[in-house]
Structures are given as structure tokens and as C-alpha cells.
Amino acid sequence: MFEANSTYPQCDEIEALSGARLTAWQTERLREVADHAYQHVPFYRELWAGAGIDADAPRSIADFERFPIITKRDLVQAGDRWANPRQGPVAFSTRGTSGDPLLVWLSAEEEEAYIVPTMRGFRWAGFRPGMTALLMSPVWHRLAACEAHAVARLGGRCAFFWGSMGPEYLESFLHALSSARPEFVTTTAPFLLSLIRRSTGSRIPSNEILSGVRSISVVGLPLTPRMREFLRDRLGVGDVFERSGTQEGAALDECRWHTAPHVHEDVCYLEVLDDAGAPVASGVRGRLIVTKLSAAGSIFVRYDTGDIAAFAPGECPCGSGFRRLKIFGRPESSVLVGSRRITAYDVRMCIEEDGDLVGRNVLLIREADSSAGVLTVAVEGRAHDQAQLKARLCERLGVDAVRMVWLGDLKVNWGFRQVLDGSEIPLPRS
């Protein structure tokens, strides 16, 4: 699927690497980042010296795995000692992450490095020269800063949407669609789901407005297979691709096989670890640890994002040597039921086996008795095959009991938040 293109030869060159060659390439990048951080960033120099890390490490991936893991709290407490002389003039807020926001600085050098993966991901999603792209990714996210550059370098045209991702801006979005007639759109999955809800019974169905769109690249919600089909069919578009990443430098895009987003391994090195800090096998969930393969901008070395993630097992039919990884959510978008960590994605996977429930807003309710093995779930609509649904959730998720809250005609706005406290939704329980 990888077509040669002289505009950005690095895409094919790096992507062709796999196995030992890719590991060697990444180890060299890790060494460069660690050397710069040791020499110029007091926080890392003090941290690594205290952990007995040599100034010329890492010499291998195994050596790199000896480096301490850091958290947002560590960086907040470090203050100016975390600053990098090459961190750049532009700051983005990590408002999409756990805890208080952290400012992540972006330099022109680093932005240039991330434009190539953005181009690669857009090509995977079907963008071609001459197309028009309507760009709606959240402007506070550093990865979105590369999108317009990527479209321009791919020989396309950019259209921009004025407004936010809130449902109150749906009319403005529809106007932008009808004016620009894009073939490619980037946005959030919650916004599209709000559009579908608004268009039900509307004078202008959304699938007519979007009929010329070949591909939509979405962020903000991990897609289940049925959710992807629902979006594609209800919107009348060619295909829907999942794009994900973190402000700390992780960047991932799906190819047309939709087996899980590929890690852009030329800009980030990702690990998935258990609670003890040991790597987990492919297909097993753990904590996502990010290291940015650039000494420019804000430096992140073995940073615990708080994301729940897993590497996809096996190889992708597309032939890329890049690993694939699915991000399922953060601790605040999950609940602990007994000893099991359950995400809204897990619940949607079970619920959506019933075709009538695909596309419904699903919220997890955090309650005091969840520690006793009871999972509480709120679902838009009215009771539907409840006994069978509860049995499926118990079996698939390994919980003792399920309490269902049916929201009826109450429409809860789609958003990034997928967990509510029990006090926030005082409705009768079945």
C-alpha cells in the first residue's frame, strides 16, 4: 500500500525498517535525546544520576528500560529545572490528560519532525493531491498543529471550521461542509455522533451533506468495529479512520485495514508496562509510557501518560514494520470493579452486539459498591433485552453483577468524558 513519493521519501525509508534495523535506529535516537537531556535539562540529570544512570546511556533498549519512569506530578514539581533550551516558543495545554494541565512546548524543529508522520497518516486514510481537507481537530492539541502543513505538502487545500467541538456549533459545521465540499475531514468522534443525533428527522440529513467525503479521520473516542460501521453508514462517507496520540509526543494512525492504529515509530518510542513496571505481552493491557524521539521541544523520557493501552498482536496485512497499539482510555474514563479495570470501550463492545444499541451514548457510573463487583452503566434509550445484556456484560467483563440505568429520552451530550459519579445522575435504577 506504500506508494513512492519524492515529496517525502523519509516516510517509505523509515517505514520499511523493521525488527533489528528499526530497534537500532530507535536506540540511536534514544541515545541522542538522553545525551541532550543529561547535558542541558537539570531535572533529568539529577534524576538519572540519582538512579545510577551513566551519562553515555542508553546503549541498548534493555539499558534504556533501566531509566526511571516519570509522571506529570514529577514535572510539575520540577518547575524550571524541567525546561529545555530548545523547547520552543509555542505552548499547548495537556488538558486532555489526567490531573491539572501541563504546558508542553513546541519548537519549529520538532513541528517539522511531526509533519512527516501526519502526512503518512493522512495518506493511509486516503488523502491524495488535489483534495480539500476540512480540519477540525482540537486546536489545543499539539498534533493538530501539523495538519495544515501536512495537507499543503501533500498537494491539497485546507478549509478551517470556526467554532469548537460542542453541539452548539453543528450548524456552523454543516455550513462549512456545504461551502468547502471537502473530500477529507478531521474531527472528533463525539462531534460526529452529535451530528448524527441532530440530523435524525432533520430537513437535511447528514449523509447528504457528507456524501462527497471520502475519508474522516477522528480522535477523542476509541472506535469499536461496529461504531466505525455506524459512523460510515449513517454519515454516508467512504471510510472512517481512528487517529490517536498524546500531547507528550505519542502519534498513531490507522491504515485501511483497521487492525489498530500504527505507532509512528520515527517520532516516539512507546512501552506498555504492568503496575510493577515490567513490559506486558502483546494483547495485554497496561500503562502507556511515552518517550519522544526528539531533543527539541519539551523532552519526555519514559513518561507515564496514565493511558490504558495494549499492543496489537501479530502483523498488519498492510506490511508496515510499525507496531500497532490501541489506547482504551485513562483511569478517569474507566471504573475499578472488584480487581478489574473496565473502560467505556469495553462496555460498548458488549452492548453494540445488539445492533439497535450501536451509536448510543454509554456512560460508566462510579459508585461505592463497585468494589464489591457491581458494574453500573447508563445507556441512552429504554430497557432493551435487559437480562440478556446483563448476562453478556457479566460474562465478557468478569463482573459479578450489572446495574443498568436507562436514560430514556434524556440526551446526554457526547464528549470525551465517559464516567460520571453516582451523585451526578440520580435516576431510578432497574
Side-chain angles (χ1 to χ4, degrees):
M1 65 173 287
F2 306 121
E3 305 166 11
N5 190 316
S6 59
T7 305
Y8 44 103
Q10 184 186 5
C11 285
D12 296 325
E13 178 185 346
I14 299 301
E15 219 171 340
L17 298 180
S18 62
R21 295 174 62 206
L22 180 58
T23 299
W25 188 91
Q26 289 187 314
T27 302
E28 184 60 31
R29 303 289 84 71
L30 292 170
R31 186 180 296 113
E32 291 174 0
V33 171
D35 179 68
H36 176 83
Y38 208 104
Q39 298 297 326
H40 300 286
V41 184
F43 166 73
Y44 285 110
R45 181 169 58 250
E46 296 164 8
L47 176 69
W48 296 340
I53 303 296
D54 296 334
D56 60 347
R59 304 175 186 87
S60 65
I61 293 297
D63 195 16
F64 174 71
E65 291 174 350
R66 294 176 48 241
F67 281 58
I69 295 172
I70 62 173
T71 65
K72 179 184 290 186
R73 177 177 294 182
D74 295 328
L75 298 182
V76 170
Q77 293 178 345
D80 291 341
R81 291 184 299 114
W82 179 53
N84 176 18
R86 296 165 57 192
Q87 67 183 14
V90 179
F92 290 86
S93 169
T94 62
R95 55 173 288 189
T97 61
S98 305
D100 294 331
L102 183 72
L103 287 183
V104 177
W105 295 90
L106 179 67
S107 70
E109 175 187 350
E110 185 188 5
E111 183 181 29
E112 181 68 25
Y114 275 84
I115 290 173
V116 171
T118 307
M119 294 164 64
R120 180 189 300 134
F122 283 2
R123 285 189 66 251
W124 289 350
F127 190 90
R128 295 295 181 266
M131 287 186 176
T132 296
L134 177 58
L135 303 179
M136 297 178 56
S137 293
V139 295
W140 45 261
H141 203 292
R142 63 185 295 277
L143 295 178
C146 303
E147 292 189 352
H149 296 285
V151 169
R153 294 192 189 185
L154 287 170
R157 297 178 296 272
C158 294
F160 296 94
F161 165 75
W162 185 89
S164 75
M165 298 294 104
E168 66 273 20
Y169 288 96
L170 289 172
E171 292 294 337
S172 296
F173 172 56
L174 292 174
H175 177 73
L177 282 172
S178 61
S179 300
R181 292 296 177 184
E183 295 96 340
F184 189 86
V185 175
T186 67
T187 186
T188 68
F191 190 76
L192 291 179
L193 291 163
S194 296
L195 175 65
I196 291 173
R197 176 190 287 169
R198 175 253 184 224
S199 300
T200 302
S202 173
R203 181 174 57 87
I204 305 177
S206 59
N207 58 3
E208 291 183 9
I209 293 290
L210 286 153
S211 59
V213 176
R214 300 187 188 182
S215 302
I216 298 183
S217 178
V218 300
V219 298
L221 194 71
L223 297 183
T224 64
R226 286 181 177 265
M227 178 65 80
R228 184 195 317 282
E229 294 175 7
F230 175 80
L231 290 172
R232 185 178 60 221
D233 296 343
R234 291 294 300 272
L235 296 172
V237 300
D239 208 349
V240 178
F241 294 80
E242 182 178 343
R243 188 167 195 238
S244 59
T246 68
Q247 297 276 34
E248 299 85 11
L252 306 94
D253 280 280
E254 275 191 323
C255 70
R256 64 185 178 89
W257 291 92
H258 300 304
T259 58
H262 287 272
V263 179
H264 291 291
E265 305 220 53
D266 49 342
V267 292
C268 60
Y269 181 78
L270 305 186
E271 303 169 80
V272 179
L273 309 180
D274 62 19
D275 290 338
V280 300
S282 295
V284 178
R285 296 186 186 185
R287 298 178 294 151
L288 179 63
I289 310 299
V290 172
T291 298
K292 191 161 63 67
L293 299 180
S294 170
S298 294
I299 294 180
F300 292 93
V301 178
R302 302 206 82 196
Y303 178 87
D304 188 343
T305 66
D307 285 301
I308 302 164
F311 282 110
E315 297 181 356
C316 183
C318 75
S320 172
F322 289 169
R323 295 175 297 172
R324 291 161 296 129
L325 180 135
K326 184 80 170 183
I327 299 177
F328 300 98
R330 292 183 177 271
E332 65 267 27
S333 62
S334 65
V335 292
L336 191 64
V337 182
S339 61
R340 300 183 67 87
R341 175 70 62 182
I342 295 174
T343 68
Y345 176 90
D346 300 320
V347 175
R348 287 190 286 115
M349 281 288 289
C350 294
I351 286 179
E352 290 173 2
E353 289 189 18
D354 185 327
D356 292 337
L357 297 180
V358 180
R360 302 282 185 91
N361 205 343
V362 175
L363 298 169
L364 305 185
I365 308 300
R366 186 177 287 114
E367 298 192 285
D369 58 358
S370 61
S371 60
V374 179
L375 171 66
T376 303
V377 179
V379 185
E380 282 184 346
R382 304 188 183 282
H384 189 83
D385 293 334
Q386 188 161 227
Q388 182 179 2
L389 179 57
K390 284 185 176 183
R392 186 162 66 237
L393 286 165
C394 287
E395 177 186 359
R396 300 285 177 80
L397 303 182
V399 298
D400 297 332
V402 174
R403 179 183 296 128
M404 303 295 299
V405 178
W406 295 94
L407 300 178
D409 296 328
L410 177 65
K411 302 297 185 182
V412 180
N413 284 337
W414 280 95
F416 302 138
R417 191 181 182 199
Q418 300 171 64
V419 177
L420 299 177
D421 290 327
S423 60
E424 295 182 80
I425 187 164
L427 295 174
R429 279 82 184 275
S430 58

Short mmCIF file of all heavy atoms in Angstrom, two decimals, residues 8 20 27 39 47 55 117 143 164 172 193 200 212 223 227 269 307 315 328 332 359 379:
data_model
loop_
_atom_site.label_atom_id
_atom_site.label_comp_id
_atom_site.label_asym_id
_atom_site.label_seq_id
_atom_site.Cartn_x
_atom_site.Cartn_y
_atom_site.Cartn_z
N TYR A 8 8.21 13.24 0.07
CA TYR A 8 8.59 12.88 1.44
C TYR A 8 9.15 11.47 1.46
O TYR A 8 8.52 10.52 1.91
CB TYR A 8 7.41 13.02 2.40
CG TYR A 8 6.10 12.46 1.91
CD1 TYR A 8 5.62 11.24 2.36
CD2 TYR A 8 5.35 13.17 1.00
CE1 TYR A 8 4.42 10.73 1.90
CE2 TYR A 8 4.15 12.67 0.54
CZ TYR A 8 3.69 11.46 1.00
OH TYR A 8 2.49 10.96 0.54
N ALA A 20 15.32 -5.79 13.94
CA ALA A 20 16.59 -5.30 14.48
C ALA A 20 16.99 -3.95 13.90
O ALA A 20 17.57 -3.11 14.60
CB ALA A 20 17.68 -6.33 14.23
N THR A 27 17.27 3.12 18.98
CA THR A 27 18.25 3.20 20.06
C THR A 27 19.17 4.38 19.88
O THR A 27 19.52 5.09 20.84
CB THR A 27 19.07 1.89 20.14
OG1 THR A 27 18.19 0.78 20.34
CG2 THR A 27 20.07 1.94 21.28
N GLN A 39 22.82 16.70 29.48
CA GLN A 39 23.70 17.87 29.42
C GLN A 39 22.97 19.18 29.70
O GLN A 39 23.58 20.11 30.26
CB GLN A 39 24.35 17.94 28.02
CG GLN A 39 25.23 16.75 27.68
CD GLN A 39 26.42 16.62 28.60
OE1 GLN A 39 26.98 17.64 29.06
NE2 GLN A 39 26.81 15.39 28.90
N LEU A 47 17.80 13.35 38.19
CA LEU A 47 17.03 12.11 38.33
C LEU A 47 17.86 10.90 37.95
O LEU A 47 17.91 9.90 38.69
CB LEU A 47 15.77 12.19 37.45
CG LEU A 47 14.89 10.94 37.41
CD1 LEU A 47 14.21 10.72 38.76
CD2 LEU A 47 13.85 11.06 36.30
N ALA A 55 26.16 8.75 32.05
CA ALA A 55 25.91 9.88 31.15
C ALA A 55 25.88 9.46 29.68
O ALA A 55 25.29 10.15 28.85
CB ALA A 55 27.00 10.94 31.34
N PRO A 117 5.00 12.27 9.90
CA PRO A 117 4.02 11.26 10.32
C PRO A 117 2.58 11.67 10.05
O PRO A 117 1.73 10.82 9.74
CB PRO A 117 4.28 11.12 11.82
CG PRO A 117 5.68 11.56 12.01
CD PRO A 117 5.90 12.65 11.00
N LEU A 143 -0.55 17.92 18.22
CA LEU A 143 -0.51 17.17 16.96
C LEU A 143 -1.34 17.84 15.87
O LEU A 143 -1.06 17.71 14.69
CB LEU A 143 -1.00 15.73 17.19
CG LEU A 143 -0.12 14.86 18.09
CD1 LEU A 143 -0.75 13.49 18.26
CD2 LEU A 143 1.29 14.73 17.54
N SER A 164 -16.05 25.47 18.15
CA SER A 164 -15.50 24.40 18.97
C SER A 164 -16.17 23.09 18.60
O SER A 164 -16.94 23.01 17.65
CB SER A 164 -15.71 24.71 20.46
OG SER A 164 -17.07 24.49 20.81
N SER A 172 -22.78 25.53 12.14
CA SER A 172 -21.60 26.13 11.51
C SER A 172 -20.80 25.07 10.76
O SER A 172 -20.27 25.33 9.67
CB SER A 172 -20.71 26.80 12.56
OG SER A 172 -21.39 27.87 13.18
N LEU A 193 -21.02 12.05 16.36
CA LEU A 193 -22.18 11.40 16.96
C LEU A 193 -23.25 12.41 17.32
O LEU A 193 -24.45 12.14 17.18
CB LEU A 193 -21.74 10.60 18.19
CG LEU A 193 -20.90 9.35 17.86
CD1 LEU A 193 -20.16 8.86 19.10
CD2 LEU A 193 -21.77 8.24 17.29
N THR A 200 -31.18 13.28 12.80
CA THR A 200 -32.30 12.34 12.79
C THR A 200 -33.61 13.12 12.67
O THR A 200 -33.96 13.93 13.52
CB THR A 200 -32.31 11.51 14.08
OG1 THR A 200 -31.08 10.81 14.19
CG2 THR A 200 -33.46 10.51 14.06
N GLY A 212 -19.86 13.66 -0.37
CA GLY A 212 -18.63 13.79 -1.15
C GLY A 212 -17.36 13.52 -0.36
O GLY A 212 -16.26 13.56 -0.91
N LEU A 223 -12.56 3.79 18.74
CA LEU A 223 -13.65 3.23 17.94
C LEU A 223 -13.74 1.72 18.10
O LEU A 223 -12.74 1.01 18.01
CB LEU A 223 -13.44 3.57 16.46
CG LEU A 223 -13.45 5.04 16.06
CD1 LEU A 223 -13.30 5.16 14.54
CD2 LEU A 223 -14.73 5.72 16.52
N MET A 227 -18.97 0.68 15.86
CA MET A 227 -19.10 2.13 15.86
C MET A 227 -18.55 2.71 14.57
O MET A 227 -19.13 3.66 14.01
CB MET A 227 -18.36 2.74 17.06
CG MET A 227 -18.40 4.27 17.13
SD MET A 227 -20.06 4.91 17.37
CE MET A 227 -20.22 4.68 19.15
N TYR A 269 8.84 6.49 21.00
CA TYR A 269 9.07 5.10 21.42
C TYR A 269 8.08 4.82 22.54
O TYR A 269 8.09 5.50 23.57
CB TYR A 269 10.50 4.90 21.91
CG TYR A 269 10.77 3.47 22.33
CD1 TYR A 269 11.00 2.48 21.39
CD2 TYR A 269 10.77 3.11 23.67
CE1 TYR A 269 11.23 1.17 21.76
CE2 TYR A 269 11.00 1.80 24.06
CZ TYR A 269 11.23 0.84 23.10
OH TYR A 269 11.43 -0.46 23.47
N ASP A 307 -2.55 6.54 30.33
CA ASP A 307 -3.42 5.84 29.39
C ASP A 307 -3.40 4.33 29.64
O ASP A 307 -2.37 3.76 30.01
CB ASP A 307 -2.98 6.10 27.95
CG ASP A 307 -3.34 7.47 27.48
OD1 ASP A 307 -4.53 7.81 27.48
OD2 ASP A 307 -2.42 8.24 27.09
N GLU A 315 0.97 -9.32 12.85
CA GLU A 315 1.36 -8.30 11.88
C GLU A 315 0.15 -7.78 11.14
O GLU A 315 -0.85 -8.47 10.97
CB GLU A 315 2.37 -8.89 10.88
CG GLU A 315 3.67 -9.34 11.53
CD GLU A 315 4.65 -9.89 10.49
OE1 GLU A 315 4.28 -9.97 9.31
OE2 GLU A 315 5.77 -10.25 10.90
N PHE A 328 -7.21 2.67 25.09
CA PHE A 328 -8.59 2.44 25.50
C PHE A 328 -9.14 3.53 26.38
O PHE A 328 -10.36 3.68 26.50
CB PHE A 328 -8.69 1.09 26.24
CG PHE A 328 -8.28 -0.08 25.41
CD1 PHE A 328 -7.00 -0.61 25.52
CD2 PHE A 328 -9.14 -0.64 24.49
CE1 PHE A 328 -6.60 -1.69 24.75
CE2 PHE A 328 -8.76 -1.72 23.72
CZ PHE A 328 -7.48 -2.25 23.84
N GLU A 332 -9.54 7.96 34.61
CA GLU A 332 -10.79 8.66 34.84
C GLU A 332 -11.87 8.33 33.82
O GLU A 332 -13.02 8.71 33.98
CB GLU A 332 -10.57 10.18 34.88
CG GLU A 332 -10.10 10.78 33.57
CD GLU A 332 -8.60 10.87 33.50
OE1 GLU A 332 -7.91 10.07 34.16
OE2 GLU A 332 -8.10 11.76 32.79
N GLY A 359 -24.15 3.24 18.58
CA GLY A 359 -24.28 4.69 18.46
C GLY A 359 -24.95 5.34 19.65
O GLY A 359 -25.08 6.57 19.68
N VAL A 379 -27.23 4.02 29.82
CA VAL A 379 -27.34 3.91 28.36
C VAL A 379 -28.52 4.74 27.88
O VAL A 379 -29.59 4.73 28.50
CB VAL A 379 -27.54 2.44 27.92
CG1 VAL A 379 -27.53 2.33 26.39
CG2 VAL A 379 -26.48 1.54 28.53
#
